DNA sequence: CGATCCCGCCAACTG
DNA sequence: CAGTTGGCGGGATCG
């Protein structure tokens, strides 16, 4: 019962908000749900139902998370959770791989493209067993050991995968000395847009969609930040690195500053993504397709309406302040204070508000704002002329 | 309008 | 062959 109230309220203020279903938000929720030390395995179905989204969406997230080392494919329907701790290593490997492949570039102006080759294999699973026999790569039970077997178009599919795209996207940052890349450049670079081959895969537009997808989940992890070129207003991405603190990125030289520390991003109010269809699915006869078992309290809850815009489009969902925790550290607190057992709760029924996380987030928002304010106050356009050019 | 990007069809890949 | 993965791009939303 009560499931109808969703539709009811949805149709009432027929306000379908795309923001509430964004990949980034979903990723945040995914992270909130699994980013704890007692997690070591993640099931796709499990995640999908807990988060209240279709399976397809989980794949999107999982793919990019895996590319960054947060997850590792363990088996069908199963991923092992590495957590944020896995990121540094993954990035390191990506960087090495990039160098090895001469992925590096000069990222010139828009007229300076460069192709991104993908030699053969991609990254190694994770563990490097003194590989003298590194032929244990992905799948391929026993591919022809003979020669490279022409082309080896193996993974013709993987060629254009979100995962690979993600890795290349990240490599872009790891290799470049400027940590800001515009959307177009990224698209151009990752596309392997050919110089004169006219209507080559002109789908740059199509690829851009993927880029947005990737950017969204990467953003939700605070690895990057969506912005725009300081004067061109052109959309761009800035590398933030692992948890705000510059990680192992080489380039310590140039690039003036860049207060790389802005934890923000609209984290959602509700972990579950109730199924408010887009306005179309008005299936006449078809029953309401509510996939979430639901029946949590279904009255006035949810209320997507009450969110207020932050200074720059960051929305805060309705959160519920919690007495406990003054948390100042995200991701794995040192003071192993055993909070609630959300894991269980989550299993029992759909979790709704993640008090603790939200509280922490709020603190971070404040912090981020402060730093921004300072940053802005001290010469708005000033640390701008770096990046691309 | 153009920039974003969600949705979900359906093909490729497993098992 | 059924189930799992996940390209791909139509078209709704956002700004």
């Amino acid at each position: 019962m009560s499931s109808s109230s969703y539709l009811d309220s949805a149709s009432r203020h027929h306000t379908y908000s795309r923001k509430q279903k964004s990949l980034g938000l979903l990723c945040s929720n995914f992270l909130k749900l699994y980013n704890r030390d007692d997690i070591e395995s993640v099931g796709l179905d499990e995640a999908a139902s807990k988060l209240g989204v279709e399976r397809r969406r989980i794949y999107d997230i999982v793919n990019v998370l895996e590319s960054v080392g947060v997850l590792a494919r363990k088996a069908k329907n199963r991923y092992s959770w590495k957590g944020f701790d896995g990121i540094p290593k993954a990035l390191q490997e990506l960087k090495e791989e990039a160098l090895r492949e001469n992925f590096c570039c000069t990222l010139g102006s828009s007229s300076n493209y460069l192709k991104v080759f993908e030699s053969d294999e991609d990254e190694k699973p994770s563990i490097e067993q003194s590989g003298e026999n590194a032929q244990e790569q992905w799948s391929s039970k026993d591919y022809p050991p003979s020669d490279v077997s022409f082309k080896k178009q193996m993974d013709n599919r993987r060629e254009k995968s979100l995962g690979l795209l993600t890795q290349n996207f990240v490599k872009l940052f790891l290799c470049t000395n400027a940590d800001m890349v515009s959307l177009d450049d990224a698209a151009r670079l990752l596309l392997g847009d050919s110089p004169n081959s006219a209507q080559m895969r002109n789908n740059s537009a199509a690829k851009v969609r993927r880029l947005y997808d990737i950017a969204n989940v990467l953003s939700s992890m605070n690895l990057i930040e969506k912005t725009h070129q300081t004067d061109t207003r052109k959309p761009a991405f800035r590398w933030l690195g692992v948890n705000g603190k510059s990680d192992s990125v080489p380039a310590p030289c140039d690039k003036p500053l860049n207060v790389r520390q802005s934890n923000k991003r609209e984290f959602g109010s509700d972990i579950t993504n109730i199924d408010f269809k887009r306005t179309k699915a008005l299936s006449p006869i078809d029953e309401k397709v509510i996939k979430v078992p639901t029946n949590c309290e279904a009255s006035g809850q949810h209320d997507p309406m009450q969110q207020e815009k932050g200074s720059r489009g960051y929305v805060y969902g309705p959160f519920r302040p919690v007495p406990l925790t003054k948390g100042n550290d995200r991701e794995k607190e040192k003071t192993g204070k055993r909070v609630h057992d959300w894991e269980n709760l989550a299993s029992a029924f759909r979790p709704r508000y993640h008090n603790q996380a939200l509280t922490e987030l709020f603190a971070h928002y404040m912090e981020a704002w402060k730093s921004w304010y300072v940053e802005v106050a001290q010469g708005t356009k000033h640390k701008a002329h770096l990046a691309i050019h």
Side-chain angles (χ1 to χ4, degrees):
Chain A
M1 59 172 177
S2 73
S3 54
S4 58
S5 6
Y6 294 145
L7 297 187
D8 196 298
S9 94
S11 59
R12 193 176 304 292
H13 0 81
H14 52 304
T15 344
Y16 170 89
S17 174
R18 200 161 61 160
K19 291 202 281 245
Q20 297 170 55
K21 323 266 286 184
S22 74
L23 258 192
L25 184 58
L26 180 58
C27 182
S28 294
N29 292 333
F30 184 93
L31 259 26
K32 280 193 279 193
L33 188 57
Y34 292 108
N35 190 28
R36 42 180 34 67
D37 38 16
D38 57 321
I39 294 288
E40 32 65 46
S41 174
V42 180
L44 297 184
D45 290 302
E46 167 197 344
S49 70
K50 278 183 180 174
L51 296 171
V53 296
E54 5 174 337
R55 214 144 193 282
R56 183 68 193 72
R57 261 33 299 159
I58 299 298
Y59 286 121
D60 287 336
I61 292 180
V62 149
N63 281 336
V64 12
L65 287 184
E66 179 181 32
S67 298
V68 184
V70 173
L71 287 171
R73 188 180 292 118
K74 193 165 57 177
K76 178 171 117 176
N77 268 316
R78 209 87 225 167
Y79 278 79
S80 60
W81 176 260
K82 294 300 177 59
F84 285 68
D85 299 327
I87 296 180
K89 184 179 176 186
L91 292 185
Q92 187 56 43
E93 292 181 354
L94 278 178
K95 187 164 71 183
E96 289 171 7
E97 181 184 316
L99 293 175
R100 186 187 320 135
E101 300 176 347
N102 189 31
F103 180 103
C104 281
C105 46
T106 33
L107 185 60
S109 58
S110 44
S111 58
N112 189 8
Y113 37 73
L114 57 147
K115 179 142 177 112
V116 171
F117 327 75
E118 202 48 44
S119 307
D120 305 350
E121 52 198 347
D122 0 43
E123 32 71 59
K124 57 199 75 165
S126 62
I127 12 176
E128 66 293 292
Q129 76 281 55
S130 41
E132 71 271 41
N133 188 10
Q135 66 171 44
E136 210 209 295
Q137 225 59 322
W138 296 87
S139 57
S140 62
K141 51 259 181 167
D142 54 334
Y143 52 81
S146 333
D147 47 283
V148 273
S149 71
F150 63 93
K151 295 316 161 294
K152 190 183 193 172
Q153 281 314 103
M154 164 184 111
D155 295 30
N156 195 339
R157 197 104 195 289
R158 164 99 182 155
E159 222 173 316
K160 294 171 291 190
S161 74
L162 233 191
L164 200 74
L165 235 189
T166 299
Q167 297 189 319
N168 287 333
F169 182 60
V170 171
K171 285 179 184 175
L172 224 51
F173 288 108
L174 296 181
C175 296
T176 310
N177 30 12
D179 60 356
M180 191 139 96
V181 177
S182 77
L183 176 62
D184 324 281
D185 284 339
R188 195 170 295 118
L189 292 168
L190 298 178
L191 278 198
D193 146 70
S194 54
N196 45 19
S197 174
Q199 69 299 13
M200 174 72 207
R201 284 295 76 103
N202 190 12
N203 303 345
S204 78
K207 282 301 170 51
V208 166
R209 289 201 206 99
R210 254 67 269 177
L211 217 42
Y212 281 125
D213 293 341
I214 294 173
N216 280 333
V217 5
L218 250 32
S219 287
S220 81
M221 294 171 62
N222 289 312
L223 273 182
I224 66 170
E225 169 186 32
K226 283 162 100 171
T227 15
H228 30 77
Q229 258 146 348
T230 34
D231 57 336
T232 322
R233 299 283 79 166
K234 287 285 216 160
F237 305 108
R238 171 184 293 108
W239 180 255
L240 296 180
V242 177
N243 197 32
K245 69 166 95 174
S246 53
D247 53 313
S248 56
V249 178
C253 41
D254 354 358
K255 83 179 149 197
L257 48 157
N258 269 355
V259 187
R260 39 180 74 209
Q261 181 220 21
S262 45
N263 309 332
K264 54 127 191 265
R265 179 66 193 183
E266 52 187 78
F267 274 79
S269 51
D270 191 339
I271 303 186
T272 38
N273 256 328
I274 311 294
D275 198 323
F276 283 125
K277 293 303 216 160
R278 234 159 167 175
T279 42
K280 67 171 183 181
L282 279 216
S283 7
I285 352 171
D286 196 29
E287 69 205 66
K288 307 79 183 298
V289 198
I290 305 283
K291 31 196 67 166
V292 262
T294 176
N295 80 17
C296 251
E297 66 288 65
S299 306
Q301 38 72 201
H302 218 65
D303 197 348
M305 293 298 79
Q306 70 181 79
Q307 301 181 325
E308 47 184 70
K309 288 279 206 181
S311 62
R312 268 174 57 186
Y314 308 112
V315 309
Y316 295 143
F319 47 75
R320 176 160 79 195
V322 179
L324 61 89
T325 177
K326 63 353 177 161
N328 64 328
D329 178 17
R330 67 200 292 294
E331 165 197 24
K332 136 186 285 48
E333 65 287 64
K334 61 266 289 192
T335 61
K337 80 173 80 163
R338 199 61 277 165
V339 255
H340 290 321
D341 188 1
W342 279 94
E343 183 44 14
N344 269 350
L345 256 125
S347 308
F349 55 89
R350 310 172 306 132
R352 293 193 31 62
Y353 296 110
H354 214 322
N355 345 18
Q356 214 225 328
L358 285 174
T359 303
E360 291 180 4
L361 282 172
F362 186 69
H364 283 292
Y365 287 149
M366 296 304 259
E367 193 174 44
W369 268 346
K370 252 191 318 199
S371 72
W372 272 326
Y373 187 78
V374 174
E375 185 178 339
V376 172
Q378 305 182 336
T380 310
K381 63 193 66 186
H382 167 212
K383 47 124 187 212
H385 311 38
L386 54 155
I388 307 164
H389 185 201

